[in-house]
């Protein structure tokens, strides 16, 4: 009989329970068939484990009688294979074996057997044994189906239950509750603390208060909170809890239900979305944006900070709709919105809010108009930097409906509080600036205040040029001599950086050093200054000025570099300059930073043999404490105190006090900005060690300074 005929024949006779008998002995199968058919069962046969697995898939029997010792695939393997199938997970399997040792029995159960029977088999009671197993199987199946229906109902309702045994601290959770929590484990029991770990950090206190209230008052109470699944998915939960008491009224446990109300919360959020967000792009709409701006301006006002509004309009957007259609226009708006959001996220360092305050926001006001809020910016020109980046990302081609589309953007910028104190005024002024940019031909960014616009863009252009100044060799060092007050000998030189801009000429350090500090360019620039100055000092020493000291100003950013000391050591080694001829000039602000770290760094530099100087002393913190703590060599009196000497009695007193303090601490003093003989005479009278200023020489290029050194040497030789 063919396989298909066998299946049809079996299904036609399926009015009685079907037993699949599996044994490699024909006699055993024959005896089993006769016994079971007399007991009212339908019987099918298989001669080995492999045939049994195949027949099981076709016949779906109610029970399997399975011999253990068979060729091809034994009973243990066949049993395990059947349990791996969906239909065979719960089918009763009675193992028939002549092996009565305990290991074989355990192995049968491990393979998934329901029960076992030893050979020789009592054929009279076999039918009763099978009937009993089928009844037990049907009861178990009914229980599984009942549980499945309950679990399905709970799943549909997203409803789980739990019991908390307080004394044992055991929390028993239903399957649905474990699913809600995202628990992959099948274990129903856990500790209360492990459950609390799943509760959102911001909601834990509320959950604990809720349970304490249930225990204290013994009343049914409800709470809503969030849980975070292991995969990071956040779910909203509504919980109902009550206490379970014994006959004496004592609390035994707390029981409750949890319901996943995330879909309901999502529906509420969707309603809110329709009210506050643009349906096409998903960005906040005008209403939501104005609310966020209100919060941001209030926060900026509290901290006396600055915020910016960027109002964007896509230039000649109407031609996209006219030429490609409204659908293409909508697609372009969606793509543009996505680029704006990604761009603002990448540059949100200029608008990072404080905790609990609003951050950068991109909104769509309608049509092709977008607005960006920078909630907090440290400097006004940062708004221009973001505007420039937005212009760049929007100028890149868009693929719209198979067409490559190019657009430009007009951007208006207004600054709070410079351009208004109210939301409406700040936004309106940004829009006005945008229209001004559009009227000027588009593809531009303009401040609401035109003078501010020019200044900010000028600084931005200067900063962009500064990045290439090193590579283009536009930076040069000038040197100003440091002279011994008593002898008049040139004992050192301060290296001062200058920028020879190809278009602007000589740019003052006052204009570009702050830009270098803010952008981080000061680190490579400072390293270049050290390399150049040390190499130049070595050349002057080789030409006969063997005791000339070189002084270099140090930026706070350079000093913060973790490998700064190693960098200095490498520069000195390459220049073949003895460390004692290099003096690093530090500002008071550097010394007032992290005291322990600063002390360690200065001691490391001092151990290398360098000299350490405090620049512009007297205009900053002027703390005697750090002068005593740190291994310093020199104080440089700021030029502002020399300006009124000897006529200004206040400046005279300050200078005299600095000199006296330096002598008491064993520090050398260098006076900056000496321009007159009267000032020099006063410094000599008060015991100042060295000076520098226009009285001797202005800062000059290296070549001119070399000639100055030669002339000074000739003069001293002539006097001698």
């Amino acid at each position: 009989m063919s396989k298909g005929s066998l299946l049809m024949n079996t299904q036609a006779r399926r009015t009685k329970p079907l037993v699949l008998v599996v044994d490699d002995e024909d006699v055993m199968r024959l005896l089993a068939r006769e016994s079971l058919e007399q007991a009212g069962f339908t019987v099918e046969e298989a001669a080995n484990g492999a045939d049994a697995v195949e027949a099981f898939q076709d016949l779906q029997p109610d029970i399997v009688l399975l011999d253990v010792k068979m060729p091809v695939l034994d009973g243990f393997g066949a049993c395990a294979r059947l349990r791996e199938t969906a239909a065979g997970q719960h089918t009763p399997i009675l193992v028939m074996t002549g092996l009565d040792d305990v290991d074989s029995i355990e192995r049968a159960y491990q393979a998934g057997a329901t029960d076992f029977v030893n050979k020789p088999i009592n054929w009279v009671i076999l039918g009763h044994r099978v009937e009993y197993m089928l009844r037990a199987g049907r009861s178990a199946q009914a229980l599984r189906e009942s549980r499945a229906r309950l679990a399905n109902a709970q799943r549909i309702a997203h409803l789980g239950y739990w019991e908390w045994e307080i004394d044992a601290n055991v929390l028993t959770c239903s399957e649905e509750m474990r699913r809600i929590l995202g628990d992959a484990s099948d274990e129903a029991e856990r500790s209360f603390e492990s459950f609390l770990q799943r509760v959102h950090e911001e909601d834990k206190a509320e959950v604990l208060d809720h349970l304490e209230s249930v225990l204290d008052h013994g009343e049914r109470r409800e709470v809503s909170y969030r849980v975070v699944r292991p995969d990071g998915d956040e779910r909203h939960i509504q919980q109902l809890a009550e206490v379970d008491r014994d006959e004496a009224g004592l609390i035994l446990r707390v029981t409750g239900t949890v319901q996943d109300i995330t879909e309901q919360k999502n529906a509420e959020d969707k309603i809110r979305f329709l009210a506050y967000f643009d349906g096409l792009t998903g960005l906040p709409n005008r209403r939501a944006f104005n609310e966020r701006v209100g919060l941001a301006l209030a926060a900026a006002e509290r901290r006396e900070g600055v915020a910016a509004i960027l109002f964007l309009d896509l230039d000649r957007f109407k031609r996209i709709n006219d030429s490609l259609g409204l659908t293409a226009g909508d697609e372009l708006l969606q793509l543009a919105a996505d680029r704006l959001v990604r761009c603002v996220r990448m540059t949100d360092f200029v608008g990072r809010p404080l905790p609990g305050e609003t951050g950068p926001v991109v909104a769509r006001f309608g049509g092709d108009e977008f607005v960006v809020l920078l909630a907090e910016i440290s400097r006004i020109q940062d708004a221009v930097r973001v505007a420039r980046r937005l212009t760049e990302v929007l100028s890149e081609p868009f693929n719209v409906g198979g067409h490559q589309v190019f657009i430009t953007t007009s951007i208006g910028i207004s600054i709070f509080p410079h351009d208004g104190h109210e939301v409406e005024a700040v936004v309106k002024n940004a829009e006005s600036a945008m229209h001004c940019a559009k009227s000027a031909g588009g593809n531009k960014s303009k401040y609401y205040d035109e003078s501010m616009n020019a200044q900010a863009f000028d600084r931005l252009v200067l900063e962009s040029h500064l990045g290439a100044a090193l590579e283009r060799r536009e930076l040069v060092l000038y040197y100003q001599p440091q002279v011994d007050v008593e002898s008049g000998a040139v004992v050192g030189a301060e290296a001062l950086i200058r920028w020879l801009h190809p278009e602007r000429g000589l740019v003052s350090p006052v204009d570009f050093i702050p830009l270098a500090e803010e952008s981080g360019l000061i680190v490579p620039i400072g390293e270049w200054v050290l390399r150049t100055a040390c190499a130049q000092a070595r050349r002057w020493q080789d030409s006969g000025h063997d005791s000339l000291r070189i002084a270099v100003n140090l930026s706070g950013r350079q000093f913060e570099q973790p490998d700064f000391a190693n960098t200095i050591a490498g520069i000195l080694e390459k220049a073949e300059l003895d460390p004692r001829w290099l003096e690093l000039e530090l500002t008071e602000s550097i010394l007032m930073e992290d005291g322990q770290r600063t002390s360690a760094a200065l001691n490391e530099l001092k151990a290398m043999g360098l000299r350490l100087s405090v620049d512009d002393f007297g205009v900053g913190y002027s703390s005697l404490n750090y002068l005593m703590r740190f291994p310093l060599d020199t104080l440089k009196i700021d030029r502002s105190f020399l300006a009124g000497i000897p006529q200004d009695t206040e400046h005279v007193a300050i200078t005299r006090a600095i000199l006296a303090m330096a002598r008491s601490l064993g520090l050398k003093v260098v006076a900056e900005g000496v321009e007159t003989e009267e000032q020099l005479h006063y410094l000599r009278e008060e015991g100042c060690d060295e000076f520098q200023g226009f009285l001797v020489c202005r800062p000059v290029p290296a070549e001119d300074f070399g000639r100055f050194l030669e002339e000074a040497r000739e003069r001293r030789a002539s006097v001698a």
Side-chain angles (χ1 to χ4, degrees), residues 276-290:
Y276 283 89
F277 293 86
D278 173 51
L280 178 65
T281 63
L283 296 177
N285 59 19
R286 184 185 294 267
R287 177 181 177 183
F289 183 79
N290 286 342

Side-chain angles (χ1 to χ4, degrees), residues 31 126 156 276 335 636 707:
L31 292 173
L126 179 61
I156 294 172
Y276 283 89
L335 295 173
K636 296 190 73 174
R707 285 195 292 269

Side-chain angles (χ1 to χ4, degrees), residues 285-327:
N285 59 19
R286 184 185 294 267
R287 177 181 177 183
F289 183 79
N290 286 342
E291 289 185 10
R292 296 290 294 274
V293 173
L295 294 173
L297 298 191
E301 188 172 17
R302 283 196 303 271
R303 59 177 172 266
E304 298 182 354
V306 180
I309 300 293
L310 278 59
F311 203 109
L312 293 77
D313 185 89
L314 307 184
D315 297 327
R316 293 175 290 280
F317 176 75
K318 186 176 181 297
R319 65 185 176 85
I320 303 296
N321 282 336
D322 293 341
S323 58
L324 300 180
L326 296 177
T327 301

Side-chain angles (χ1 to χ4, degrees), residues 466-477:
L466 181 59
L470 261 179
E471 183 180 332
R472 296 173 182 171
R473 299 184 178 182
E474 296 170 4
L475 299 179
V476 296
L477 288 187

Side-chain angles (χ1 to χ4, degrees), residues 667-678:
L667 299 176
K668 184 177 288 187
V669 179
V670 178
E672 294 183 292
V674 177
E675 298 183 359
T676 67
E677 289 289 348
E678 290 82 0

Side-chain angles (χ1 to χ4, degrees), residues 346-407:
M346 291 172 60
T347 57
D348 68 357
F349 64 90
V350 302
R352 186 177 293 111
L354 296 175
E357 296 177 354
T358 183
V361 179
V362 181
R364 182 188 177 211
F365 270 23
D368 58 342
E369 293 180 341
F370 297 89
V371 191
V372 176
L373 162 67
L374 301 179
E376 180 194 3
I377 54 176
S378 57
R379 52 182 190 162
I380 292 174
Q381 51 268 31
D382 282 337
V384 182
R385 179 178 295 179
V386 177
R388 183 177 66 175
R389 179 61 184 148
L390 294 176
T391 301
E392 290 174 355
V393 299
L394 290 178
S395 66
E396 296 172 2
F398 292 86
N399 190 339
V400 178
H403 300 276
Q404 195 174 54
V405 175
F406 293 86
I407 60 172

Side-chain angles (χ1 to χ4, degrees), residues 643-657:
I645 288 178
Q647 293 81 15
D648 191 316
T649 56
E650 182 179 354
H651 284 186
V652 167
I654 292 174
T655 303
R656 182 177 291 128

Side-chain angles (χ1 to χ4, degrees), residues 479-485 492-496 549 551 553 583 585 615 636-637 639 642 669-675 679-680 683 688-699:
Y479 300 87
Q480 187 173 39
Q482 294 175 331
V483 181
D484 184 270
V485 171
E494 181 180 5
L496 301 166
R549 183 183 67 244
N553 290 280
E583 183 170 81
E585 297 189 1
D615 196 18
K636 296 190 73 174
I637 302 177
R639 66 181 64 249
L642 274 295
V669 179
V670 178
E672 294 183 292
V674 177
E675 298 183 359
Q679 293 170 344
L680 178 59
L683 293 172
C688 183
D689 299 289
E690 299 173 7
F691 76 96
Q692 64 187 80
F694 290 175
L695 178 62
V696 176
C697 182
R698 292 175 176 270

